[in-house]
């Protein structure tokens, strides 16, 4: 193959007009309405950010200074960057209600190699997110048991890298497997569980904020920014993990009853609800307890214990476990739908895109769940969180660029939502996301680079040849069959 042919093959774009036809043959069930989609988005955004990462960034960790009450600014910076990306996602979701999210948007707007890059990136990042959240749940579970006088041995609650004598984080492994089982029951059952669990989560956070306000000591806000502005920006890169989730929710677009109408609304609603709760919660957390005394793994539990309310701390620990489960469910849903979409497009073997009687891709669900259990069991939370963030930020850069290009290349494409101030908003999203990426440690970049090199090798040896968009592919006939008239 000549270099010109190679260039054309890797840059081929999935026609947007094919999307509706492919959706009819997906095997996925349409069962999610507006409020279920919003619940999935809120469920993905709110969780470990409030219950674990807020305390981690405020208190600091080995080699990383605590930012104190200025963790509020870290959340606002991350939220502003996320908002620009959210509007870009909303425009695409209104045009392309298809499983795959950023992978599909990049494929349609920028070409197959870009779509592959983002899809492969998201496979690792979403699995890593599930692992981070599982580690956060493990911390609250340990805090709950301690509150009732049960102390779990260190060997089964921490990893070897944490220096506590740990071997593996067993509770984190078990919760990954539990969430995988829940998701394997089907999207309809998952949607109902998510709606109830998110309602409980929001009520819990409102309870924490309402009660915690009475125990705020304003002296804890001084100094507000103890380590300067640099660590606050670095903290924004870490808590960025806490202000997305709508992107994973958008991977369920094919399972929405009216994706074009409901997806944009659900994306915007979920981010607004989440940011309002984050701002109030961080103010309460750093007001109740001096940032140096906050437990990085169970911030609110330690804060209420510190003001003499250990019973409330125990209650928070119990409900934090339930509420954080929704984050794991959202992102495990996300990775399975991206994997499903890449397999259906021929970039990965078709074996992965088979669905069962529940309309669920069981094979990728269990593979992703076991992969997240491995990460949660052997790696500390900050390493996994940073690995997650660099991948999602890269996806946001691609989606923001894609929405600009597609607006000018296909202005005629029907859009149920048009983001304002084009191209300023998505351009800001590109710059803000790229800036946050460069706040992450070089080790994170190295791990990210290794994963992408592995992905490129798989694409050139398998994906490019087997893509449904390749006329020479053994699976190209599947695409032709979809568009063949009946009778």
């Amino acid at each position: 193959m000549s270099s010109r042919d190679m260039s054309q093959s890797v840059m081929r774009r999935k026609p947007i007009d094919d999307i509706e036809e492919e959706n009819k043959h997906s095997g996925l069930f349409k069962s999610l309405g507006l409020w279920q989609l919003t619940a999935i988005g809120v469920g993905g955004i709110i969780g470990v950010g409030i219950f674990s990462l807020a305390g981690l960034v405020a208190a600091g960790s080995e080699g990383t200074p605590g930012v104190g009450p200025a963790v509020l600014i870290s959340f606002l910076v991350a939220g502003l960057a996320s908002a620009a990306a959210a509007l870009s996602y909303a425009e695409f979701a209104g045009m392309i209600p298809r499983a795959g999210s950023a992978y599909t948007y990049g494929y349609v707007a920028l070409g197959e190699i870009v779509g592959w890059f983002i899809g492969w990136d998201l496979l690792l990042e979403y699995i890593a997110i599930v692992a981070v959240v599982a580690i956060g749940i493990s911390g609250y579970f340990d805090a709950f048991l301690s509150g009732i006088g049960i102390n779990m041995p260190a060997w089964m609650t921490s990893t070897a890298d944490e220096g506590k004598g740990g071997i593996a984080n067993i509770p984190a492994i078990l919760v990954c497997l539990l969430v995988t089982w829940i998701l394997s029951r089907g999207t309809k059952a998952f949607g109902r569980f998510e709606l109830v669990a998110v309602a409980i989560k929001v009520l819990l956070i409102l309870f924490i904020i309402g009660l915690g306000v009475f125990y705020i000591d304003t002296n804890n806000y001084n100094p507000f920014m103890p380590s300067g502005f640099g660590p606050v920006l670095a903290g924004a890169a870490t808590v960025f993990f806490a202000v997305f989730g709508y992107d994973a929710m958008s991977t369920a677009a094919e399972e929405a009853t009216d994706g074009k109408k409901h997806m944009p609304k659900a994306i915007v609603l979920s981010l607004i609800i989440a940011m309002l709760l984050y701002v109030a919660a961080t103010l309460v957390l750093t007001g109740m307890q001096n940032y140096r005394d906050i437990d990085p793994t169970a911030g609110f539990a330690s804060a209420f214990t510190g003001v003499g309310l250990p019973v409330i701390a125990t209650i928070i620990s119990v409900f934090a476990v339930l509420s954080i489960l929704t984050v794991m469910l959202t992102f495990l849903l996300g990775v399975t739908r991206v994997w499903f979409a890449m397999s259906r497009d021929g970039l990965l073997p078709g074996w992965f895109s088979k669905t069962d009687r529940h309309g669920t891709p069981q094979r990728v669900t269990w593979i992703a769940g076991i992969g997240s259990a491995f990460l949660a069991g052997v790696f500390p939370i900050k390493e996994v969180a940073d690995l997650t963030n660099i991948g999602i930020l890269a996806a946001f850069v691609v989606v923001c660029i894609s929405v600009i290009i597609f607006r000018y290349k296909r202005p005629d494409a029907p859009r149920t939502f048009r983001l304002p101030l084009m191209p300023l908003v998505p351009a800001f999203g590109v710059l803000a996301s790229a800036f946050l990426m460069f706040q992450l440690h070089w080790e994170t970049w190295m791990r990210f680079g290794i994963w992408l090199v592995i992905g490129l090798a798989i694409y050139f040896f398998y994906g490019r040849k087997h893509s449904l968009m390749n006329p020479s592919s053994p699976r190209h006939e599947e695409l032709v069959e979809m568009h063949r008239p009946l009778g």
Side-chain angles (χ1 to χ4, degrees), residues 294-320:
I294 295 174
D295 182 348
T297 60
F300 278 103
S302 72
F304 278 97
T305 299
V307 296
L309 295 173
V311 175
I312 298 298
T314 302
I315 293 172
I316 289 172
S317 296
V318 172
F319 283 98

Side-chain angles (χ1 to χ4, degrees), residues 68-278:
V71 66
L72 168 66
I73 299 177
S74 295
F75 272 100
L76 289 175
V77 170
L80 196 59
S82 186
L87 293 172
S88 299
Y89 270 87
E91 177 161 326
F92 265 125
M95 289 189 293
I96 310 172
R98 186 179 189 267
S101 185
Y103 153 71
T104 301
Y105 307 154
Y107 200 165
V108 168
L110 300 178
E112 188 170 277
I113 187 67
V114 177
W116 168 269
F117 164 78
I118 290 303
W120 183 253
D121 161 32
L122 291 179
L123 293 185
L124 175 64
E125 308 321 320
Y126 285 170
I127 289 174
I129 291 170
V130 176
V132 171
V133 179
I135 297 169
I137 287 179
S138 177
Y140 270 93
F141 183 66
D142 193 27
F144 162 68
L145 292 180
S146 297
I148 59 175
I150 300 174
N151 294 309
M152 296 179 69
W155 70 265
M156 65 180 297
T157 58
S158 59
T159 64
D161 290 348
E162 293 180 77
K164 299 177 182 178
I167 297 175
N169 194 328
I170 302 299
I173 292 174
L174 293 177
V175 79
C176 285
L177 298 179
L178 170 63
V179 166
T180 304
W181 179 81
I182 293 172
L183 188 60
S184 72
R185 297 299 87 199
T187 308
K188 189 173 183 178
F190 155 73
R192 290 172 178 169
F193 175 87
E194 190 86 345
L195 192 60
V196 173
V198 167
I200 294 172
K201 175 194 294 194
V202 172
L203 289 174
L204 171 65
I205 295 170
L206 291 175
F207 169 74
I208 289 171
I209 293 168
L211 181 60
V213 162
F214 295 101
Y215 293 90
I216 289 177
D217 180 353
T218 55
N219 291 323
N220 289 329
Y221 293 135
N222 187 28
F224 184 77
M225 197 180 295
S227 304
F229 196 60
V232 171
L233 293 178
T238 297
V239 302
F240 191 81
F241 169 85
V243 292
F244 59 85
Y246 52 80
D247 62 311
M249 177 259 285
S250 69
T251 65
E254 281 182 50
E255 292 152 280
T257 54
D258 189 347
K260 287 188 175 181
K261 179 180 178 181
H262 292 156
M263 288 301 301
K265 292 180 181 178
I267 288 171
V268 174
L269 275 173
S270 60
L271 185 60
I272 290 173
I273 292 169
M275 287 308 301
L276 289 173
L277 293 175
Y278 273 137

